[in-house]
Amino acid sequence: MNYTETAKTKLKPIWSFLIAFGLITAVFVGFRFIPLDEYRIALDISSLIIVVAIVYFLYRYAMTVFEYSVSDKVISIAKGEKMRKTVSVVIRARDIKLFAPASYEGKTPKGDYTDLNCCPSWTGKAKGWCMWCVFDDGSRVKVYFEPSDELVGIIRELVHNRAQEQ
């Protein structure tokens, strides 16, 4: 079975640009009205740090697209579109130890897991889904992502079939 879907943020690019532009303008104008000339360099550096943070937030959560694919018991999560697509993680069904909502508070697999956020929105780690995976090389990854209901059903079926095979 082959299935692919794209996850994008619900925030339109023009709105995210306007919000970022407004915040950056407010930072520079606001810092210009602070009458501390002896601290001007510190204010300029602070404003630069704030601008970089705003641009990063804009890029990471308003312009990043994730593609979730399932084919032959393999789940692939890629970041980007078309020519700029890079694979974030490839997970075989046998590597999945637990598949649950990100807010799941029940029994989880033991060990130290590296978090991998593959959510296009900033609330994804709270509202999305999570897979606890252990790979053949012993590495442990906790993947956060925001699949559709259809993809959730497909992954649940994969995990259920894997459990029956063992």
Side-chain angles (χ1 to χ4, degrees):
M1 165 185 234
N2 292 333
Y3 178 81
T4 301
E5 72 181 31
T6 302
K8 297 179 181 180
T9 183
K10 291 174 179 56
L11 184 64
K12 302 277 187 213
I14 188 67
W15 285 111
S16 59
F17 172 77
L18 291 174
I19 290 168
F21 182 74
L23 288 172
I24 290 169
T25 303
V27 165
F28 279 116
V29 169
F31 278 12
R32 288 291 158 212
F33 286 116
I34 296 176
L36 300 173
D37 290 332
E38 61 270 9
Y39 299 110
R40 183 61 49 201
I41 189 73
L43 292 174
D44 288 343
I45 290 173
S46 299
S47 63
L48 183 63
I49 290 170
I50 292 170
V51 167
V52 168
I54 291 170
V55 169
Y56 170 77
F57 184 80
L58 173 71
Y59 173 75
R60 171 60 181 90
Y61 292 111
M63 297 172 66
T64 302
V65 175
F66 286 95
E67 181 181 276
Y68 310 135
S69 303
V70 177
S71 64
D72 299 328
K73 299 182 182 180
V74 175
I75 301 165
S76 175
I77 300 177
K79 182 176 168 181
E81 290 182 297
K82 298 176 186 163
M83 298 296 286
R84 295 181 176 222
K85 188 186 310 183
T86 57
V87 176
S88 297
V89 66
V90 176
I91 305 164
R92 295 175 304 220
R94 66 182 177 150
D95 296 333
I96 300 172
K97 300 305 174 201
L98 178 64
F99 175 64
S103 59
Y104 178 73
E105 294 184 6
K107 186 176 179 182
T108 59
K110 302 255 188 260
D112 292 329
Y113 286 81
T114 303
D115 285 356
L116 179 60
N117 187 356
C118 297
C119 300
S121 67
W122 58 84
T123 60
K125 285 181 90 172
K127 296 181 180 178
W129 285 78
C130 190
M131 286 187 287
W132 285 260
C133 306
V134 178
F135 299 105
D136 290 338
D137 64 357
S139 61
R140 298 169 184 267
V141 178
K142 186 177 178 183
V143 182
Y144 292 93
F145 67 119
E146 294 179 285
S148 66
D149 293 338
E150 184 177 357
L151 183 57
V152 168
I154 292 169
I155 295 173
R156 280 186 171 162
E157 184 179 322
L158 274 177
V159 172
H160 179 71
N161 291 343
R162 177 203 37 101
Q164 287 181 345
E165 290 173 4
Q166 290 179 349

